[in-house]
Amino acid sequence: FPSHDTDGYEGGILAPNGKIYFVPNTATAVLRVDPDALTATTLGNMLIGGNEGYKAACLAPNGKIYMFPDNTKTNLVLLDPNNDTITQFTYPAGVFPGNSLRTTFNLAPNGKIYMFSNHLTLAHAILDPVDNSVSTINVFPPATGAYPYFQMALAPDGKFYGGYGGAVSVAVVFDPSNNTQTTFNQISLGGSGSYTNVIMTPKGKIVYIPYFATSYLILNKLNNNNFDINVCTNPFFNKF
């Protein structure tokens, strides 16, 4: 791997070409890893990362990878694995406000990417990969603490499950079929940043990964639904 500062890359995506693309955070270029050849190559000569530049990515149905700005950047980065070209898109103020106000980006069954807000006054937004347009919806994080949406996971029922990211003590459910949000399972977590990631198991259990917390949190709300293992390993939903 190229040398870089702490947090050089934040997440990665397995592309249809079999290569893994890493998102530059403090690093200044996209990193492409070929698992077959065991080679790593940096892409592009643009300073697209650096200083908490980009946080996460999604593989869209069009086969392209969308990389989303984190703290200091406000442009969307689009990478085409077919030719490794990189394009940047600029959106109106407030879509990507920086300051880690959007850190969770998930592909829904309807083919659109949902960009969840981490601030009580910033609405959730939707990116349509068909035309790269962005629209906001009149839904906001629950007023239960800072950074409630560190991560969300798609469940077999087609809904996103998350929450517990910052000081919140409530699970959040978002339904992309009608863009509605509900909460459930109020518990005491004992402080900010208890859990900063969430995954869905093939058996439909929701597992919250601890950060400051000292144990895993497992919700069994979906114990009557399963994910096919092919869905779990599909690169559209299997990211880190």
Side-chain angles (χ1 to χ4, degrees):
F1 279 69
S3 61
H4 53 73
D5 296 330
T6 303
D7 298 327
Y9 299 92
E10 286 277 355
I13 290 288
L14 174 63
N17 61 11
K19 297 178 174 63
I20 303 172
Y21 293 82
F22 290 84
V23 182
N25 191 261
T26 60
T28 56
V30 174
L31 181 67
R32 183 192 67 202
V33 171
D34 186 335
D36 294 325
L38 297 180
T39 57
T41 307
T42 55
L43 303 176
N45 55 9
M46 296 181 296
L47 187 68
I48 66 167
N51 194 19
E52 297 184 353
Y54 290 82
K55 181 72 174 180
C58 276
L59 176 64
N62 58 15
K64 298 178 181 179
I65 296 173
Y66 291 77
M67 297 185 179
F68 301 95
D70 180 19
N71 192 10
T72 62
K73 305 293 182 179
T74 56
N75 290 339
L76 176 73
V77 167
L78 176 62
L79 188 148
D80 188 344
N82 291 318
N83 52 22
D84 287 339
T85 56
I86 296 174
T87 307
Q88 295 191 64
F89 290 89
T90 301
Y91 292 91
V95 174
F96 297 111
N99 297 317
S100 300
L101 296 183
R102 294 193 195 278
T103 59
T104 304
F105 310 91
N106 293 85
L107 178 66
N110 60 17
K112 298 179 181 180
I113 298 173
Y114 281 73
M115 307 185 296
F116 293 101
S117 166
N118 262 329
H119 195 276
L120 300 180
T121 61
L122 180 67
H124 300 326
I126 305 172
L127 186 148
D128 189 345
V130 173
D131 56 8
N132 296 323
S133 62
V134 172
S135 58
T136 57
I137 53 179
N138 192 33
V139 180
F140 300 82
T144 52
Y147 299 106
Y149 285 95
F150 266 81
Q151 294 293 334
M152 299 283 276
L154 180 67
D157 60 0
K159 300 176 183 178
F160 293 115
Y161 288 75
Y164 299 122
V168 302
S169 56
V170 63
V172 180
V173 185
F174 186 91
D175 187 347
S177 68
N178 55 17
N179 294 333
T180 58
Q181 173 182 273
T182 56
T183 60
F184 71 93
N185 202 48
Q186 189 82 17
I187 64 174
S188 177
L189 294 176
S192 177
S194 298
Y195 300 88
T196 57
N197 209 337
V198 58
I199 60 174
M200 187 68 56
T201 71
K203 297 299 183 181
K205 291 182 171 58
I206 308 162
V207 181
Y208 291 83
I209 309 300
Y211 188 64
F212 288 127
T214 58
S215 61
Y216 290 88
L217 178 64
I218 300 176
L219 299 182
N220 296 311
K221 188 175 179 64
L222 302 174
N223 56 7
N224 292 322
N225 295 284
N226 294 334
F227 255 150
D228 183 272
I229 191 62
N230 292 322
V231 174
C232 292
T233 57
N234 190 301
F236 289 104
F237 302 110
N238 184 28
K239 61 178 185 173
F240 60 94

